[in-house]
Amino acid sequence: MVRWAVRSHTDAVLEPSCGEAAFLLPSAFRLRELGARKLRLHGVDLHGPSAQRAAILLRSHGFDADIRVADFFTVSGGPDYDAVVGNPPYVRYQDFAGTARERGLQAAASQGVKLDGLANIWAAFVVHAATCLKPDGRLAMVLPATLLTANYAAPIRSYLLRRFSRVGLVMFRERVFPGVQEEVVLLLAEGTGAAGAIHVTEVADASSLASLDFWEQAHPTPAAGAKWTTALLEPHEREAYSSVVRSAHFETLGDWGRVDLGMVTGNNKYFTMTPAEASERGLQTSELLNVCPAGARHLPGTTFSKAAWNELGHQAKRTLLFYPDPANLSDAARRYIAEGEASGVHRAYKCRMRNPWWRVPTVSPPHLFFTYMSGVAPRLVTNRASARHLNSLLGVTLHRGRVGVGQSWLPLAALNSVSLLGAELIGRSYGGGVLKIEPREAVLLPVPTRDVLNQHRDALRVVRDRVMTQLRMGNIAEVSRIVDDVLLARALRMDRAALRSVRSALSLLRERRRQRGRA
């Protein structure tokens, strides 16, 4: 990173959040290599002892640097530096609070970047670091891969393309930092002006960087769209995917219906119970609601039936939600409420915000469930049990005129490779290889249109049993192959080369996510 960013013996270099000179020391060696006699090295760190150790380390190698102990957001963002290199702190929004948060948000806002309440501190760091650069300066930073996908990072993605004339990413097939769950990318940005694209290259690991001539090896990726996940795909794969989702055969899940998060109880162990527990406590049927148990392991297929719900109850799964009428509490309900207060359930945040605390805000039973967190692939599941859902699932309430065909065929049809690739592109990969899709992302999921399902339901009916068998075996690749053959290849006559491109892109992203899970 230093070799890319520091190019002249006269370069002034800044490392914000410098820690113990991880970038300042290589910068010093680089400047000396370029023939510098007087080094223009600057560092900033909030932690005094770290800044002191950085200065001692540099002096031990014969270098001097100006290192300040300060909050980086209080440092003037004047355009003084030729290169800003570093690894900003990754502080979650829960811990990025108080004065530090206010300063960070103000620094970003001064550049027209409005960060939301979920923003990590690194986002504000990137913006403020860019303000320290001269017009032709270079920014090189180690950033979390959430830069590509997180909704809160969307303003940062837009800002980078607006601020710099060239924006590049280096991605890794393997984890760079052993024992660290966070996946990272290298951001390389330079110049001033609107970048028409992001330049992307992928390498195996950090050792591959030594011989990397970045702009020569990177290929430009169209900057359209809120997320940069498509940067991982080859041009022919992006074109094949974009072509089919823009066709008359596909629309979005939001076109089919409304997507909502499930019920937030504040304490699932207290508010949900097994039928046997409800019976032992003497609770009345009117004081209970049918719910789909937390998680998605009990939804192996494309339909959740009333029989399946009953069987889960027999297996001592939590299929009931405590939901008494405040105006008509039974003695059993009063005892259970008192039991909750004795154990402190009412002091949980979500419970404190309710009046009464034990009355969980409910949602209506959706037509479909959506397994929005998955290590394999997200799926739609028809809710034939008319059960409500907790926030471990999303619910899809279909629009009028779409319920019949939607419940019967959409979960099966959505197992095609185009929809599954769409899920990988709109979602976010978490530690452990889990793919998560938020409600406002789920509405963007590409799925076949109502007309397609109405016209080709007979073809889907023929393969339904085969698909169910493969789903129960966990063979999602074979599932998508079966659905692709009958729906995309035969019914929609999708170009075979384009279909191969979509499948290869899906395989790439899915395997990339799984590798990080194994690592």
Side-chain angles (χ1 to χ4, degrees):
M1 291 171 63
V2 166
R3 184 164 293 278
W4 175 84
V6 181
R7 302 176 184 177
S8 168
H9 68 280
T10 61
D11 279 354
V13 182
L14 169 67
E15 182 184 358
S17 188
C18 66
E20 297 181 18
F23 288 85
L24 282 178
L25 185 58
S27 296
F29 284 119
R30 172 65 169 161
L31 287 168
R32 177 174 288 177
E33 174 189 310
L34 293 169
R37 292 186 177 182
K38 183 178 180 181
L39 305 186
R40 301 167 66 195
L41 291 175
H42 300 262
V44 179
D45 202 282
L46 189 64
H47 187 237
S50 293
Q52 185 178 25
R53 284 194 291 270
I56 293 172
L57 177 63
L58 286 161
R59 284 197 297 269
S60 71
H61 288 275
F63 301 120
D64 286 321
D66 177 14
I67 300 178
R68 296 176 56 185
V69 177
D71 181 338
F72 178 53
F73 296 123
T74 66
V75 176
S76 173
D80 301 323
Y81 297 96
D82 301 282
V84 177
V85 290
N87 181 16
Y90 302 174
V91 179
R92 297 182 305 164
Y93 73 92
Q94 294 97 328
D95 301 316
F96 181 29
T99 303
R101 181 174 188 81
E102 291 177 9
R103 289 172 178 162
L105 296 182
Q106 288 173 2
S110 70
Q111 301 304 308
V113 180
K114 184 177 181 180
L115 299 176
D116 69 20
L118 299 179
N120 190 299
I121 192 173
W122 67 261
F125 248 76
V126 169
V127 177
H128 194 52
T131 67
C132 298
L133 285 170
K134 296 177 180 178
D136 60 347
R138 281 85 57 192
L139 178 68
M141 285 197 159
V142 182
L143 297 180
T146 50
L147 168 68
L148 281 68
T149 59
N151 291 321
Y152 74 76
I156 302 302
R157 295 191 289 269
S158 297
Y159 170 74
L160 291 172
L161 292 172
R162 185 173 70 247
R163 163 63 177 81
F164 294 98
S165 59
R166 289 209 290 188
V167 177
L169 298 175
V170 180
M171 302 182 183
F172 302 93
R173 286 188 290 274
E174 299 177 9
R175 282 228 184 102
V176 180
F177 302 111
V180 177
Q181 285 290 321
E182 189 74 62
E183 180 186 350
V184 302
V185 298
L186 304 187
L187 170 68
L188 308 177
E190 63 179 335
T192 300
I198 54 174
H199 290 73
V200 179
T201 191
E202 187 174 48
V203 296
D205 51 32
S207 64
S208 307
L209 295 173
S211 59
L212 180 63
D213 186 350
F214 178 72
W215 298 116
E216 292 297 322
Q217 296 188 27
H219 60 268
T221 301
K227 296 193 176 186
W228 287 355
T229 326
T230 54
L232 293 165
L233 307 184
E234 295 293 334
H236 67 91
E237 294 170 337
R238 287 195 301 273
E239 177 56 33
Y241 171 76
S242 298
S243 177
V244 69
V245 297
R246 290 196 305 262
S247 73
H249 301 310
F250 273 78
E251 55 189 356
T252 67
L253 187 57
D255 292 321
W256 276 90
R258 188 183 74 248
V259 180
D260 298 305
L261 194 62
M263 296 179 291
V264 179
T265 68
N267 188 323
N268 283 351
K269 189 174 181 180
Y270 173 82
F271 286 103
T272 62
M273 61 188 69
T274 68
E277 289 171 337
S279 177
E280 290 171 4
R281 295 183 181 281
L283 295 171
Q284 300 176 9
T285 302
S286 60
E287 297 172 320
L288 302 164
L289 295 178
N290 297 351
V291 294
C292 184
R297 291 185 177 180
H298 53 282
L299 301 172
T302 59
T303 299
F304 183 57
S305 65
K306 190 60 179 287
W309 180 83
N310 284 326
E311 179 58 28
L312 289 173
H314 294 320
Q315 295 175 7
K317 303 298 182 183
R318 297 175 179 271
T319 58
L320 297 172
L321 176 78
F322 181 60
Y323 190 73
D325 181 355
N328 190 26
L329 289 175
S330 68
D331 291 340
R334 294 180 188 278
R335 287 193 297 270
Y336 193 56
I337 292 169
E339 183 180 322
E341 291 175 347
S343 60
V345 175
H346 64 300
R347 289 194 290 269
Y349 174 75
K350 290 295 183 181
C351 297
R352 294 201 314 269
M353 297 298 104
R354 300 194 293 252
N355 185 22
W357 68 265
W358 39 263
R359 184 79 167 179
V360 176
T362 61
V363 296
S364 299
H367 297 114
L368 306 171
F369 296 131
F370 186 51
T371 63
Y372 72 104
M373 289 189 69
S374 174
V376 181
R379 290 178 295 104
L380 291 166
V381 180
T382 301
N383 179 21
R384 297 292 186 191
S386 296
R388 289 171 169 82
H389 61 299
L390 302 170
N391 65 334
S392 55
L393 294 170
L394 298 182
V396 181
T397 302
L398 297 169
H399 296 318
R400 185 177 300 177
R402 291 177 176 250
V403 176
V405 65
Q407 283 198 305
S408 298
W409 301 110
L410 187 57
L412 176 60
L415 292 169
N416 70 85
S417 291
V418 172
S419 296
L420 295 178
L421 175 56
E424 298 285 344
L425 292 172
I426 65 174
R428 175 181 170 187
S429 178
Y430 278 75
V434 171
L435 180 68
K436 182 178 181 180
I437 301 176
E438 302 289 356
R440 58 180 172 177
E441 297 163 340
V443 297
L444 303 176
L445 182 73
V447 292
T449 66
R450 174 174 54 177
D451 288 344
V452 165
L453 298 195
N454 278 325
Q455 292 170 18
H456 303 291
R457 63 174 72 188
D458 290 339
L460 289 170
R461 183 180 290 109
V462 170
V463 299
R464 180 160 51 188
D465 289 344
R466 288 170 57 203
V467 169
M468 294 305 103
T469 299
Q470 295 299 325
L471 265 182
R472 285 190 288 270
M473 295 170 61
N475 193 351
I476 191 66
E478 180 62 14
V479 165
S480 59
R481 188 196 66 77
I482 295 171
V483 177
D484 287 351
D485 287 348
V486 68
L487 187 63
L488 301 183
R490 297 181 203 168
L492 303 184
R493 301 185 182 279
M494 184 176 174
D495 179 79
R496 289 285 182 175
L499 181 52
R500 286 194 297 271
S501 293
V502 167
R503 285 175 172 172
S504 67
L506 173 59
S507 178
L508 166 74
L509 294 188
R510 182 182 289 153
E511 186 55 31
R512 195 173 190 275
R513 175 166 55 82
R514 288 177 174 176
Q515 282 181 353
R516 277 152 180 74
R518 289 193 290 269

